[in-house]
Amino acid sequence: MQGQSESRELTFSNNQTAGILYGDLNKNLQVLENGAGVRVHVRGTSVKITGPEHEVKLAANLLDQLYELINKGYPVYSSDFAFGLKILQSSPKARLDKIFLDKVFVTTRNRIISPKTPNQKIYIDAIRNNDVVFGIGPAGTGKTYLAVAMAVSALANEKVRSIILTRPAVEAGEKLGFLPGDLAQKVDPYLRPLNDALIDMLGPEKAYDMIDQGAIEIAPLAFMRGRTLGNAFIILDEAQNTTREQMKMFLTRIGFDSQAVITGDITQVDLPAHQHSGLVQAEALLQNINGIGFCHFSKEDVVRHPLVQKIIHAYELYQEKQNNGQKPA
């Protein structure tokens, strides 16, 4: 039996701030209605929320906190309504300002990059406080994007002299030899996600200028062998596809005044069956070393299209059935 419908009215003191909160054509409030399962009626600076008692309380809490964030200068996006709802659903007493106001970097389009989930906040703090950090979890949780933002911020603030972005060139169903072009063209698709993140933050002109000048280097993992990477912010992406030997090689490249972030999803290993993931081994071996941090993400941290979280959940259920000896649907 469903609970009775409740109503709650909020009144905001500033008309302009309320307009930003509502979004163009009340777009933000539509996100709130769909996510919280409530109805929202707007009249000027007053908002009436109707629905089940718990959901009404949740929606009111979210609106109050996001209104405060706008007053503090945070440009609330419609996606923040979805992120905020997820946070408050799991932790009703959470303070969104402690997460959203942790500014990591401001892009050339004046978009603020900040954590959007509690685990992302933990991840950012871990990068600030450790020389080596592992970010482990499913696709779409911001592991790589936030690491690149931290790297760009460190370079802009002259904490490092260069950024080095690397990935293992491991095929996922296709062979490099069948791809057209020379070696550089063959490995380019593997490095493209790192390049895209840089362009999103810096703009294409500045990103390519910094690559040309050598301040930013994007290269396959094999190119790191024999080098000492000093005074740099180094990111190893897709680390689940490193062999044990490659992971050891990478970790022993780190020089003075450098820090490294290693990201990967141990559920998506593309290595041949006879090879073991270097990321899995590193997680087992390095847990208790001071200066090395481990951060784990789940589907709750997915910050892509809302369907991505549902897709990940469906695959998790499938894997659970396989593990339990059940025949998957």
PDB file of all heavy atoms in Angstrom, residues 227-247:
ATOM      1  N   ARG A 227      62.561   4.768 -19.474  1.00  0.00           N
ATOM      2  CA  ARG A 227      62.560   6.203 -19.145  1.00  0.00           C
ATOM      3  C   ARG A 227      62.411   6.405 -17.641  1.00  0.00           C
ATOM      4  O   ARG A 227      61.944   5.535 -16.914  1.00  0.00           O
ATOM      5  CB  ARG A 227      61.398   6.904 -19.860  1.00  0.00           C
ATOM      6  CG  ARG A 227      61.476   6.835 -21.361  1.00  0.00           C
ATOM      7  CD  ARG A 227      60.253   7.463 -22.007  1.00  0.00           C
ATOM      8  NE  ARG A 227      60.081   8.871 -21.650  1.00  0.00           N
ATOM      9  CZ  ARG A 227      59.053   9.608 -22.046  1.00  0.00           C
ATOM     10  NH1 ARG A 227      58.083   9.075 -22.771  1.00  0.00           N
ATOM     11  NH2 ARG A 227      58.962  10.888 -21.697  1.00  0.00           N
ATOM     12  N   THR A 228      62.838   7.598 -17.173  1.00  0.00           N
ATOM     13  CA  THR A 228      62.550   8.047 -15.816  1.00  0.00           C
ATOM     14  C   THR A 228      61.692   9.284 -15.938  1.00  0.00           C
ATOM     15  O   THR A 228      62.105  10.282 -16.549  1.00  0.00           O
ATOM     16  CB  THR A 228      63.834   8.364 -15.042  1.00  0.00           C
ATOM     17  OG1 THR A 228      64.643   7.192 -14.960  1.00  0.00           O
ATOM     18  CG2 THR A 228      63.503   8.861 -13.641  1.00  0.00           C
ATOM     19  N   LEU A 229      60.489   9.249 -15.389  1.00  0.00           N
ATOM     20  CA  LEU A 229      59.501  10.301 -15.585  1.00  0.00           C
ATOM     21  C   LEU A 229      59.494  11.213 -14.369  1.00  0.00           C
ATOM     22  O   LEU A 229      58.825  10.947 -13.372  1.00  0.00           O
ATOM     23  CB  LEU A 229      58.124   9.682 -15.828  1.00  0.00           C
ATOM     24  CG  LEU A 229      58.085   8.607 -16.934  1.00  0.00           C
ATOM     25  CD1 LEU A 229      56.707   7.965 -17.007  1.00  0.00           C
ATOM     26  CD2 LEU A 229      58.484   9.192 -18.276  1.00  0.00           C
ATOM     27  N   GLY A 230      60.290  12.282 -14.441  1.00  0.00           N
ATOM     28  CA  GLY A 230      60.431  13.206 -13.329  1.00  0.00           C
ATOM     29  C   GLY A 230      59.643  14.483 -13.523  1.00  0.00           C
ATOM     30  O   GLY A 230      59.400  14.921 -14.652  1.00  0.00           O
ATOM     31  N   ASN A 231      59.232  15.093 -12.402  1.00  0.00           N
ATOM     32  CA  ASN A 231      58.500  16.364 -12.391  1.00  0.00           C
ATOM     33  C   ASN A 231      57.315  16.339 -13.352  1.00  0.00           C
ATOM     34  O   ASN A 231      57.120  17.255 -14.142  1.00  0.00           O
ATOM     35  CB  ASN A 231      59.445  17.514 -12.752  1.00  0.00           C
ATOM     36  CG  ASN A 231      58.968  18.837 -12.156  1.00  0.00           C
ATOM     37  OD1 ASN A 231      57.792  18.985 -11.839  1.00  0.00           O
ATOM     38  ND2 ASN A 231      59.872  19.780 -12.035  1.00  0.00           N
ATOM     39  N   ALA A 232      56.567  15.263 -13.291  1.00  0.00           N
ATOM     40  CA  ALA A 232      55.458  15.077 -14.222  1.00  0.00           C
ATOM     41  C   ALA A 232      54.231  14.533 -13.504  1.00  0.00           C
ATOM     42  O   ALA A 232      54.329  13.913 -12.444  1.00  0.00           O
ATOM     43  CB  ALA A 232      55.876  14.116 -15.341  1.00  0.00           C
ATOM     44  N   PHE A 233      53.089  14.786 -14.106  1.00  0.00           N
ATOM     45  CA  PHE A 233      51.841  14.164 -13.680  1.00  0.00           C
ATOM     46  C   PHE A 233      51.549  13.084 -14.710  1.00  0.00           C
ATOM     47  O   PHE A 233      51.330  13.377 -15.881  1.00  0.00           O
ATOM     48  CB  PHE A 233      50.699  15.187 -13.640  1.00  0.00           C
ATOM     49  CG  PHE A 233      49.502  14.742 -12.846  1.00  0.00           C
ATOM     50  CD1 PHE A 233      49.149  15.385 -11.664  1.00  0.00           C
ATOM     51  CD2 PHE A 233      48.705  13.689 -13.289  1.00  0.00           C
ATOM     52  CE1 PHE A 233      48.026  14.978 -10.936  1.00  0.00           C
ATOM     53  CE2 PHE A 233      47.596  13.275 -12.571  1.00  0.00           C
ATOM     54  CZ  PHE A 233      47.255  13.920 -11.393  1.00  0.00           C
ATOM     55  N   ILE A 234      51.561  11.831 -14.261  1.00  0.00           N
ATOM     56  CA  ILE A 234      51.488  10.703 -15.184  1.00  0.00           C
ATOM     57  C   ILE A 234      50.178   9.949 -14.961  1.00  0.00           C
ATOM     58  O   ILE A 234      49.829   9.621 -13.831  1.00  0.00           O
ATOM     59  CB  ILE A 234      52.672   9.729 -14.944  1.00  0.00           C
ATOM     60  CG1 ILE A 234      53.979  10.509 -14.808  1.00  0.00           C
ATOM     61  CG2 ILE A 234      52.768   8.705 -16.063  1.00  0.00           C
ATOM     62  CD1 ILE A 234      55.018   9.785 -13.967  1.00  0.00           C
ATOM     63  N   ILE A 235      49.467   9.679 -16.044  1.00  0.00           N
ATOM     64  CA  ILE A 235      48.217   8.934 -15.959  1.00  0.00           C
ATOM     65  C   ILE A 235      48.327   7.684 -16.821  1.00  0.00           C
ATOM     66  O   ILE A 235      48.620   7.769 -18.017  1.00  0.00           O
ATOM     67  CB  ILE A 235      47.022   9.776 -16.433  1.00  0.00           C
ATOM     68  CG1 ILE A 235      46.849  11.017 -15.547  1.00  0.00           C
ATOM     69  CG2 ILE A 235      45.729   8.939 -16.413  1.00  0.00           C
ATOM     70  CD1 ILE A 235      45.804  11.991 -16.044  1.00  0.00           C
ATOM     71  N   LEU A 236      48.122   6.539 -16.199  1.00  0.00           N
ATOM     72  CA  LEU A 236      48.027   5.275 -16.922  1.00  0.00           C
ATOM     73  C   LEU A 236      46.557   4.879 -16.955  1.00  0.00           C
ATOM     74  O   LEU A 236      45.968   4.550 -15.929  1.00  0.00           O
ATOM     75  CB  LEU A 236      48.865   4.188 -16.243  1.00  0.00           C
ATOM     76  CG  LEU A 236      48.683   2.756 -16.763  1.00  0.00           C
ATOM     77  CD1 LEU A 236      48.971   2.660 -18.254  1.00  0.00           C
ATOM     78  CD2 LEU A 236      49.561   1.782 -15.978  1.00  0.00           C
ATOM     79  N   ASP A 237      45.978   4.928 -18.138  1.00  0.00           N
ATOM     80  CA  ASP A 237      44.559   4.632 -18.315  1.00  0.00           C
ATOM     81  C   ASP A 237      44.382   3.207 -18.833  1.00  0.00           C
ATOM     82  O   ASP A 237      45.305   2.621 -19.404  1.00  0.00           O
ATOM     83  CB  ASP A 237      43.962   5.634 -19.311  1.00  0.00           C
ATOM     84  CG  ASP A 237      42.453   5.603 -19.337  1.00  0.00           C
ATOM     85  OD1 ASP A 237      41.842   5.350 -18.285  1.00  0.00           O
ATOM     86  OD2 ASP A 237      41.878   5.851 -20.417  1.00  0.00           O
ATOM     87  N   GLU A 238      43.191   2.635 -18.632  1.00  0.00           N
ATOM     88  CA  GLU A 238      42.894   1.261 -19.068  1.00  0.00           C
ATOM     89  C   GLU A 238      43.923   0.276 -18.509  1.00  0.00           C
ATOM     90  O   GLU A 238      44.367  -0.655 -19.183  1.00  0.00           O
ATOM     91  CB  GLU A 238      42.857   1.179 -20.599  1.00  0.00           C
ATOM     92  CG  GLU A 238      41.737   1.955 -21.232  1.00  0.00           C
ATOM     93  CD  GLU A 238      40.353   1.360 -20.963  1.00  0.00           C
ATOM     94  OE1 GLU A 238      40.235   0.118 -20.990  1.00  0.00           O
ATOM     95  OE2 GLU A 238      39.410   2.119 -20.728  1.00  0.00           O
ATOM     96  N   ALA A 239      44.294   0.474 -17.252  1.00  0.00           N
ATOM     97  CA  ALA A 239      45.386  -0.301 -16.653  1.00  0.00           C
ATOM     98  C   ALA A 239      45.040  -1.769 -16.458  1.00  0.00           C
ATOM     99  O   ALA A 239      45.931  -2.590 -16.237  1.00  0.00           O
ATOM    100  CB  ALA A 239      45.786   0.317 -15.309  1.00  0.00           C
ATOM    101  N   GLN A 240      43.756  -2.116 -16.548  1.00  0.00           N
ATOM    102  CA  GLN A 240      43.395  -3.531 -16.443  1.00  0.00           C
ATOM    103  C   GLN A 240      44.000  -4.347 -17.592  1.00  0.00           C
ATOM    104  O   GLN A 240      44.140  -5.563 -17.502  1.00  0.00           O
ATOM    105  CB  GLN A 240      41.878  -3.712 -16.416  1.00  0.00           C
ATOM    106  CG  GLN A 240      41.174  -3.546 -17.756  1.00  0.00           C
ATOM    107  CD  GLN A 240      40.854  -2.106 -18.086  1.00  0.00           C
ATOM    108  OE1 GLN A 240      41.248  -1.197 -17.363  1.00  0.00           O
ATOM    109  NE2 GLN A 240      40.124  -1.879 -19.164  1.00  0.00           N
ATOM    110  N   ASN A 241      44.386  -3.656 -18.666  1.00  0.00           N
ATOM    111  CA  ASN A 241      44.962  -4.342 -19.827  1.00  0.00           C
ATOM    112  C   ASN A 241      46.488  -4.317 -19.838  1.00  0.00           C
ATOM    113  O   ASN A 241      47.105  -4.598 -20.869  1.00  0.00           O
ATOM    114  CB  ASN A 241      44.416  -3.735 -21.118  1.00  0.00           C
ATOM    115  CG  ASN A 241      42.959  -4.098 -21.340  1.00  0.00           C
ATOM    116  OD1 ASN A 241      42.520  -5.172 -20.948  1.00  0.00           O
ATOM    117  ND2 ASN A 241      42.201  -3.205 -21.946  1.00  0.00           N
ATOM    118  N   THR A 242      47.089  -3.984 -18.706  1.00  0.00           N
ATOM    119  CA  THR A 242      48.535  -4.149 -18.567  1.00  0.00           C
ATOM    120  C   THR A 242      48.815  -5.561 -18.059  1.00  0.00           C
ATOM    121  O   THR A 242      48.046  -6.107 -17.264  1.00  0.00           O
ATOM    122  CB  THR A 242      49.139  -3.157 -17.568  1.00  0.00           C
ATOM    123  OG1 THR A 242      48.541  -3.375 -16.278  1.00  0.00           O
ATOM    124  CG2 THR A 242      48.909  -1.725 -17.994  1.00  0.00           C
ATOM    125  N   THR A 243      49.917  -6.127 -18.527  1.00  0.00           N
ATOM    126  CA  THR A 243      50.369  -7.385 -17.931  1.00  0.00           C
ATOM    127  C   THR A 243      51.048  -7.061 -16.606  1.00  0.00           C
ATOM    128  O   THR A 243      51.310  -5.889 -16.290  1.00  0.00           O
ATOM    129  CB  THR A 243      51.363  -8.092 -18.851  1.00  0.00           C
ATOM    130  OG1 THR A 243      52.549  -7.279 -18.979  1.00  0.00           O
ATOM    131  CG2 THR A 243      50.768  -8.346 -20.235  1.00  0.00           C
ATOM    132  N   ARG A 244      51.347  -8.081 -15.829  1.00  0.00           N
ATOM    133  CA  ARG A 244      52.046  -7.855 -14.568  1.00  0.00           C
ATOM    134  C   ARG A 244      53.392  -7.182 -14.809  1.00  0.00           C
ATOM    135  O   ARG A 244      53.792  -6.291 -14.052  1.00  0.00           O
ATOM    136  CB  ARG A 244      52.233  -9.194 -13.848  1.00  0.00           C
ATOM    137  CG  ARG A 244      50.932  -9.822 -13.372  1.00  0.00           C
ATOM    138  CD  ARG A 244      51.172 -11.206 -12.794  1.00  0.00           C
ATOM    139  NE  ARG A 244      49.937 -11.773 -12.249  1.00  0.00           N
ATOM    140  CZ  ARG A 244      49.857 -12.970 -11.691  1.00  0.00           C
ATOM    141  NH1 ARG A 244      50.931 -13.743 -11.614  1.00  0.00           N
ATOM    142  NH2 ARG A 244      48.705 -13.414 -11.218  1.00  0.00           N
ATOM    143  N   GLU A 245      54.087  -7.608 -15.862  1.00  0.00           N
ATOM    144  CA  GLU A 245      55.406  -7.028 -16.167  1.00  0.00           C
ATOM    145  C   GLU A 245      55.279  -5.568 -16.587  1.00  0.00           C
ATOM    146  O   GLU A 245      56.091  -4.729 -16.194  1.00  0.00           O
ATOM    147  CB  GLU A 245      56.074  -7.845 -17.284  1.00  0.00           C
ATOM    148  CG  GLU A 245      56.449  -9.269 -16.912  1.00  0.00           C
ATOM    149  CD  GLU A 245      55.250 -10.211 -16.880  1.00  0.00           C
ATOM    150  OE1 GLU A 245      54.193  -9.855 -17.459  1.00  0.00           O
ATOM    151  OE2 GLU A 245      55.370 -11.300 -16.264  1.00  0.00           O
ATOM    152  N   GLN A 246      54.254  -5.252 -17.364  1.00  0.00           N
ATOM    153  CA  GLN A 246      54.058  -3.863 -17.799  1.00  0.00           C
ATOM    154  C   GLN A 246      53.727  -2.952 -16.620  1.00  0.00           C
ATOM    155  O   GLN A 246      54.207  -1.817 -16.547  1.00  0.00           O
ATOM    156  CB  GLN A 246      52.940  -3.802 -18.833  1.00  0.00           C
ATOM    157  CG  GLN A 246      53.319  -4.316 -20.207  1.00  0.00           C
ATOM    158  CD  GLN A 246      52.132  -4.323 -21.142  1.00  0.00           C
ATOM    159  OE1 GLN A 246      50.997  -4.612 -20.748  1.00  0.00           O
ATOM    160  NE2 GLN A 246      52.379  -4.002 -22.403  1.00  0.00           N
ATOM    161  N   MET A 247      52.889  -3.434 -15.693  1.00  0.00           N
ATOM    162  CA  MET A 247      52.541  -2.616 -14.537  1.00  0.00           C
ATOM    163  C   MET A 247      53.786  -2.333 -13.696  1.00  0.00           C
ATOM    164  O   MET A 247      53.999  -1.192 -13.258  1.00  0.00           O
ATOM    165  CB  MET A 247      51.468  -3.308 -13.691  1.00  0.00           C
ATOM    166  CG  MET A 247      51.075  -2.531 -12.431  1.00  0.00           C
ATOM    167  SD  MET A 247      50.372  -0.886 -12.759  1.00  0.00           S
ATOM    168  CE  MET A 247      48.711  -1.352 -13.289  1.00  0.00           C
TER     169      MET A 247
END
